[in-house]
Amino acid sequence: AMLWGLILILFLLVFWSMLGVEFVHPVNKRLEWDGNDFCKDAFSSVLHTVLIFFQTLVAGDSWGTCVIPIIKEEPMLFILFAGALVTVQL
């Protein structure tokens, strides 16, 4: 059961990461990150997006670092982040 749970979480992370690259990356490129290379590159590829989603959704760490400035720039992306949070946390 735990293996299937892990597989489901990884599948959901990859699914939301593909959407993140498609919709968040263009907004992320418009922002000035002032030397924060992690946030600057966070949504540039599916792998980077899986890492940021794992950090924020699974570990619950650093929502404010990369995600909050993106939501302030484009408030409709809250739906994407909220959907990812709800599906991965449940």
Side-chain angles (χ1 to χ4, degrees):
M2 292 204 41
L3 175 65
W4 290 112
L6 175 66
I7 291 170
L8 180 62
I9 288 173
L10 291 175
F11 172 77
L12 288 170
L13 286 173
V14 170
F15 170 76
W16 288 109
S17 296
M18 289 187 294
L19 292 177
V21 169
E22 187 69 29
F23 296 109
V24 179
H25 183 61
V27 176
N28 195 31
K29 288 192 311 188
R30 293 194 310 247
L31 296 173
E32 295 292 329
W33 288 106
D34 296 330
N36 189 346
D37 290 335
F38 180 72
C39 289
K40 181 180 176 184
D41 297 332
F43 296 96
S44 61
S45 70
V46 173
L47 177 61
H48 286 119
T49 309
V50 166
L51 290 174
I52 189 71
F53 277 159
F54 184 84
Q55 178 185 357
T56 56
L57 300 175
V58 178
D61 184 32
S62 298
W63 270 102
T65 305
C66 298
V67 175
I68 299 298
I70 292 170
I71 291 174
K72 284 183 179 179
E73 177 74 18
E74 188 64 49
M76 290 301 291
L77 288 176
F78 173 78
I79 296 169
L80 186 137
F81 291 117
L85 176 67
V86 168
T87 57
V88 171
Q89 290 295 318
L90 293 179

